[in-house]
Amino acid sequence: MEGQWHIRPGAELCDVCGRVITDGSQQYALVPDSSAVHESASRFDGSRLLTGCDSVHLASLVREYDERPYVAAELWAGQITRALHAVSPASLTVAQLCEATGLSAVQIEAAVAWTNA
Ligand SMILES: [Zn+2]
């Protein structure tokens, strides 16, 4: 993509120091994160893949996410935003939102309250 960093295929960036890792020595961890909503695949929602250049950097990231509260309403708000971005104009009824997100009306209400708080 234009204006973005160009990284060789197979290369990864450390999420802590930004070092480009090209020798395959990167380490990964999957952590719960209610702010993580995948672009299109809902099965990845609520988890974030972390990349570290070594075990020390990866562990410091995992610790950061461990301390971050997991708020379900935050995840639901992200899923609602994704559903709204998928339609034009960005407008859905509650029933359509339930259909598009798989959330209940109560969950949608909680997400709206969370967003407005
Ligand atoms: Zn690093």
Side-chain angles (χ1 to χ4, degrees):
M1 259 183 289
E2 217 168 296
Q4 299 248 325
W5 289 99
H6 291 274
I7 298 170
R8 280 209 336 245
E12 292 276 10
L13 281 180
C14 175
D15 291 331
V16 176
C17 66
R19 186 160 79 80
V20 180
I21 309 149
T22 54
D23 62 359
S25 65
Q26 70 273 14
Q27 299 184 20
Y28 300 106
L30 196 63
V31 294
D33 178 5
S34 54
S35 74
V37 175
H38 190 266
E39 259 173 64
S40 55
S42 60
R43 69 181 185 277
F44 298 122
D45 291 351
S47 343
R48 185 174 298 280
L49 185 66
L50 305 175
T51 307
C53 61
D54 59 26
S55 58
V56 175
H57 274 182
L58 189 65
S60 76
L61 267 178
V62 168
R63 224 174 302 122
E64 249 176 65
Y65 278 89
D66 278 348
E67 287 163 14
R68 190 183 191 283
Y70 188 95
V71 182
E74 180 183 28
L75 179 66
W76 301 334
Q79 292 170 325
I80 290 168
T81 301
R82 177 177 60 207
L84 287 171
H85 282 165
V87 294
S88 184
S91 164
L92 293 170
T93 64
V94 171
Q96 289 168 328
L97 262 183
C98 290
E99 171 80 14
T101 60
L103 299 173
S104 70
V106 171
Q107 289 171 319
I108 288 169
E109 244 175 69
V112 171
W114 181 87
T115 303
N116 294 336

